[in-house]
Amino acid sequence: MNKITKLIILIFLSCSVYFIYQQTKNSVVTITNIGDNLALGINPYGIKETSYSDYIKDYLNKDTEKVIINNEFSNKELSIKTFLEQVKNNPILKKKLMESNTIILNIGYNDLLYKLSLKEKIDSSTLNEIIREISNDYNELIKEIRKYYKRNIITIGYYCSNKNDYYLNKGIRKLNETLSQTNEIEFIDTYYLLSDRTKYFPNPNINYPNRLGYQQISEKIIRKILEK
């Protein structure tokens, strides 16, 4: 292969890489963010502020012309079952799922709180039964989402509660374990990520992190997005 041929191939490869880069740089990225108060960005003082999705948008905007974060299906009372019904019956949501590049799920904690509240007595056997019920509902939700969306699902786990409740915190750990073992999702652990409560939770009365905590979560999500 002579020098001229090598030069032509090198120029061709360089142009191809540049073209692909420009196509990626100027693309539109749509992220559908689904969850409860954590997805909404509630801060340690109960005020809606900056969520992990905002930090993700700021980061991706450096190389992408337009980043759309869709938060319209997040609300503080969201549970697995209520969202499952929305996926089944809401044509707008189905369309949004099909248009998404990435889905972020932060869901299951409200289900755990509600099911615990229904029990007069909690023991390990009762807790295991609750986690099995949540796991079944969650798997059904993922299966339903997959009818309309085939790309990356990133699920955010739950961190320790500020309540001194043995079975609640044990339930959170078991819930995280269940979610992390779901084959269809990419799991992000926050239980250990945000374990330093003095650093991330300045208000002991409200169990939502400060901006630094949301940034830590966003960095984990960004890595998952870039891996794909």
Side-chain angles (χ1 to χ4, degrees), residues 90-106:
N90 188 333
I92 295 174
L93 173 55
K94 292 175 184 180
K95 185 175 183 293
K96 295 291 186 183
L97 293 177
M98 287 188 283
E99 294 172 347
S100 299
N101 296 98
T102 299
I103 289 176
I104 303 172
L105 276 179
N106 177 234

Side-chain angles (χ1 to χ4, degrees), residues 1-227:
M1 186 181 294
N2 58 42
K3 291 183 178 180
I4 295 176
T5 304
K6 287 182 179 179
L7 181 61
I8 291 171
I9 292 172
L10 181 60
I11 293 171
F12 175 78
L13 289 175
S14 299
C15 290
S16 298
V17 170
Y18 178 77
F19 176 76
I20 292 169
Y21 170 76
Q22 288 299 320
Q23 288 294 102
T24 304
K25 182 178 180 181
N26 296 323
S27 63
V28 176
V29 173
T30 302
I31 298 174
T32 299
N33 184 34
I34 301 157
D36 51 28
N37 280 337
L38 194 66
L40 294 172
I42 302 301
N43 71 11
Y45 305 97
I47 300 168
K48 186 177 182 301
E49 197 182 36
T50 307
S51 177
Y52 47 78
S53 61
D54 297 300
Y55 292 112
I56 294 167
K57 183 175 182 178
D58 289 344
Y59 181 88
L60 295 180
N61 266 331
K62 296 174 185 176
D63 294 313
T64 305
E65 186 175 282
K66 188 174 183 181
V67 179
I68 299 171
I69 304 290
N70 180 10
N71 290 312
E72 66 181 287
F73 302 103
S74 293
N75 69 76
K76 63 179 182 179
E77 304 297 336
L78 193 68
S79 69
I80 294 171
K81 281 200 167 184
T82 57
F83 188 65
L84 175 59
E85 289 305 308
Q86 289 182 51
V87 177
K88 288 180 177 178
N89 301 308
N90 188 333
I92 295 174
L93 173 55
K94 292 175 184 180
K95 185 175 183 293
K96 295 291 186 183
L97 293 177
M98 287 188 283
E99 294 172 347
S100 299
N101 296 98
T102 299
I103 289 176
I104 303 172
L105 276 179
N106 177 234
I107 193 168
Y109 183 68
N110 286 334
D111 302 74
L112 178 61
L113 287 178
Y114 176 69
K115 288 178 181 293
L116 285 172
S117 71
L118 296 178
K119 305 295 183 182
E120 292 184 7
K121 181 182 177 182
I122 303 294
D123 55 25
S124 293
S125 176
T126 304
L127 184 61
N128 288 337
E129 177 189 341
I130 289 173
I131 296 299
R132 277 195 299 271
E133 291 173 358
I134 295 175
S135 176
N136 290 337
D137 292 340
Y138 188 80
N139 288 330
E140 187 180 352
L141 172 62
I142 297 299
K143 192 179 297 183
E144 192 66 26
I145 289 174
R146 284 301 187 201
K147 292 179 182 179
Y148 313 100
Y149 172 84
K150 306 299 181 184
R151 297 174 180 172
N152 200 24
I153 298 176
I154 298 173
T155 293
I156 301 171
Y158 287 92
Y159 46 82
C160 183
S161 171
N162 61 335
K163 298 177 183 178
N164 187 22
D165 186 322
Y166 172 79
Y167 283 109
L168 173 57
N169 282 303
K170 187 175 181 181
I172 291 171
R173 292 194 297 273
K174 284 182 171 291
L175 176 60
N176 286 337
E177 184 180 354
T178 296
L179 298 180
S180 68
Q181 292 173 354
T182 305
N183 293 329
E184 289 289 328
I185 62 104
E186 298 284 336
F187 180 76
I188 292 178
D189 166 65
T190 62
Y191 197 90
Y192 296 103
L193 180 69
L194 304 182
S195 59
D196 188 344
R197 297 199 64 84
T198 57
K199 184 176 181 180
Y200 299 115
F201 300 90
N203 185 354
N205 298 316
I206 295 182
N207 202 39
Y208 293 105
N210 55 19
R211 289 187 176 186
L212 183 58
Y214 281 109
Q215 284 178 326
Q216 291 280 48
I217 296 171
S218 73
E219 288 173 10
K220 291 281 187 180
I221 297 172
I222 289 166
R223 287 195 197 104
K224 293 289 184 185
I225 292 173
L226 296 181
E227 283 173 8

